[in-house]
Amino acid sequence: MPTLKQLAVESLTHLVEGGQERVAVDDEARGILRQWMLDARKAPAPMSAQPSQQSEPQEMSVEEKLAYLRERAASWKPAKLLGTLRETMVFAVGNPRARLMLVGEAPGYEEERQGEPFVGPAGQLLTRILGAMGLQRSDVYISNVCKFRPSMGENQGTANRPPSPEELAACLPLIMAEIRAIQPACIVCLGGSSAKGLLGAQQGVGALRGHWFECQGVPVRVTYHPSYLLRNEALSARRALWEDMLAVMQQLGMPISEKQQNYFR
Ligand code: URA
């Protein structure tokens, strides 16, 4: 099991290699990092952070940046070191030049099998929601905060579980880099894990939805995960998600018909 220090060094190394120069840390983290620095000065043998040979070239197209990130993600050390995520990496799908980016939790059984996010039952519902907005999957960019299906041991079968805070933290640099590459006009967090990852939010979706947040300068709306709607067919839940999507459409300057305005009323 890797130490917290090894995980932190891996994550920070990858951020630096990806061109990031600043990270936000709270006072507690700053204190811990400072102590590690002092310790490292005392014991000069550096920890093996195993940086890769290449760093992200600055003059890349968005497609090239995503191809680079996809390759990095497949052998993403901070995730691999945890030993609690499954092997197969599921990256993202959709339009690299999309104005709308949707971020879910983690691949499930079907996503892992097909190697594409949101293709199982929740994904099919997401495709229908996008259709109601007048969009196709190929119009938007769909990704997850966690790129690997969380493991539940040998007899996992088709069962899935949400990623732990450690698993979210390990994968976070990847989705953050995707956001910088895509530069969408708006992000939708699908479910609480996504909001926890992108916004550091501790509240549930019920408390977060209905407001605008920001991630790396991009407006973010939080809404229910489609799988929640599959479990809870109450009209109020469907209406709530649809209201969130109407707010997103408005933010993007998309036309909203009277019929769309009145769905689930
Ligand atoms: N749920 C998610 O959050 N992401 C997927 O890709 C599939 C289901």
Side-chain angles (χ1 to χ4, degrees):
M1 191 73 180
T3 63
L4 180 62
K5 196 191 270 188
Q6 283 168 321
L7 288 172
V9 169
E10 285 288 344
S11 294
L12 291 171
T13 303
H14 283 294
L15 284 178
V16 171
E17 286 179 29
Q20 189 157 333
E21 290 170 359
R22 288 163 186 270
V23 282
V25 288
D26 62 19
D27 287 347
E28 190 189 6
R30 192 174 296 116
I32 293 170
L33 289 169
R34 191 177 144 68
Q35 190 55 51
W36 287 350
M37 262 175 51
L38 294 173
D39 293 346
R41 274 203 202 123
K42 270 188 249 153
M47 271 188 310
S48 162
Q50 298 170 16
S52 74
Q53 299 307 304
Q54 332 141 266
S55 49
E56 190 178 347
Q58 296 305 304
E59 298 306 318
M60 280 178 154
S61 69
V62 58
E63 289 83 2
E64 286 168 334
K65 283 183 188 168
L66 291 176
Y68 170 82
L69 285 172
R70 184 186 286 266
E71 199 185 308
R72 296 291 308 275
S75 55
W76 189 244
K77 274 261 175 59
K80 299 281 177 197
L81 281 170
L82 285 175
T84 56
L85 293 166
R86 290 168 60 95
E87 276 299 304
T88 307
M89 192 278 297
V90 179
F91 194 63
V93 69
N95 184 350
R97 294 173 191 269
R99 298 184 66 230
L100 176 58
M101 178 165 177
L102 299 121
V103 182
E105 176 175 277
Y109 169 78
E110 201 53 51
E111 286 74 25
E112 183 186 60
R113 205 176 67 78
Q114 296 190 39
E116 183 173 323
F118 282 102
V119 287
Q124 287 158 23
L125 176 54
L126 178 62
T127 304
R128 293 212 303 278
I129 294 166
L130 289 171
M133 296 168 76
L135 295 169
Q136 298 187 345
R137 282 170 74 92
S138 54
D139 294 323
V140 300
Y141 183 86
I142 304 174
S143 195
N144 281 309
V145 270
C146 181
K147 299 286 185 259
F148 303 84
R149 183 176 168 216
S151 170
M152 296 173 76
E154 274 176 19
N155 302 319
Q156 179 159 6
T158 58
N160 300 311
R161 68 164 173 85
S164 68
E166 292 75 21
E167 290 163 347
L168 285 179
C171 287
L172 197 60
L174 295 168
I175 189 71
M176 289 299 192
E178 284 170 86
I179 293 170
R180 288 195 301 279
I182 305 274
Q183 297 182 6
C186 180
I187 297 172
V188 175
C189 285
L190 297 167
S193 294
S194 173
K196 222 180 264 176
L198 293 197
L199 306 172
Q202 295 306 319
Q203 306 101 304
V205 174
L208 296 169
R209 60 168 297 276
H211 305 279
W212 284 104
F213 299 92
E214 221 176 78
C215 178
Q216 301 188 106
V218 181
V220 177
R221 200 82 179 185
V222 180
T223 194
Y224 293 114
H225 194 287
S227 64
Y228 172 77
L229 258 70
L230 292 176
R231 294 192 303 270
N232 176 0
E233 292 210 334
L235 189 64
S236 57
R238 284 194 269 168
R239 177 70 204 163
L241 183 139
W242 184 244
E243 274 170 3
D244 297 331
M245 292 312 194
L246 286 176
V248 167
M249 289 171 75
Q250 201 169 11
Q251 173 76 17
L252 292 171
M254 291 170 63
I256 300 176
S257 68
E258 203 172 326
K259 187 175 162 198
Q260 284 172 319
Q261 196 71 53
N262 292 322
Y263 277 156
F264 306 114
R265 279 240 164 97

